[in-house]
Amino acid sequence: MAVMKYSNEHNRAYCSEFQEAGQVYISISRIKPLIKMLLMNKVDLAALLSGTGLKLQVFTETDKSISFAQYQQLVVNALRLSPDPALALRLGEQSFLHHDGLLATRIMSSETVEQAMELLTRYQPLFTQILLFDFEVNEHGGVLTLAPHFELGEALPYFMEYTCSVIYSLGRFFLGGVDLTGEGISATIRLAYPAPESRQVFDDFFTIPVLFDQPENKITISKELLARPIIFSNK
């Protein structure tokens, strides 16, 4: 079987330009759920904003954005301060539940999981400018590789776990909640960093295996799962 690789070179050029120019900005509206969840968990606000240069008042303005560097420091602070080891997983699930964007709507019209993954890769900048997606189909199934555009440092686990949570939640929804542990119908999340002390939260959140200390950050999908129809398909 020939290897089919779905990537968009325009996306690479687009994101590289932003990376070099330092022009990635994050809307305040995308950051508010993180702030809300942490404050509900009684995290000290001054400690959360430490080193970001941000004032509390900025979160009252809906049309504002902050730089990626500020967002990254905010995430690092959040990971250090949050009492919830599943913070990124829960925020990813909330994002899926509360935001029906253009990308999600477009993917819903896909015929199969493979086509949905191809569309997710093609329109990746609508999903994130922080990670780059590459999707490849081989004789074993599909591989979605998640590569950082930037040096993420301590924030890397947050962005990987948040993204995997959103993709996993989308997949369960588009497949009608199908059991992903059945014979042949399977997927695995592989993360290129050590397992956290709170390893159990991943087993509790995902119904698919999550492996750590892997060579790359990727999601592998079985051939049988790739062929599964999306429940919203018109065909």
Side-chain angles (χ1 to χ4, degrees), residues 195-212:
E197 293 181 6
S198 51
R199 176 70 178 79
Q200 185 62 40
V201 301
F202 293 87
D203 297 331
D204 294 340
F205 185 87
F206 295 105
T207 62
I208 61 177
V210 180
L211 306 179
F212 292 89

Side-chain angles (χ1 to χ4, degrees), residues 66-85:
I66 66 173
S67 71
F68 176 73
Q70 290 175 308
Y71 182 37
Q72 184 177 13
Q73 184 59 56
L74 187 68
V75 166
V76 170
N77 292 346
L79 292 175
R80 291 173 179 171
L81 297 168
S82 176
D84 183 5

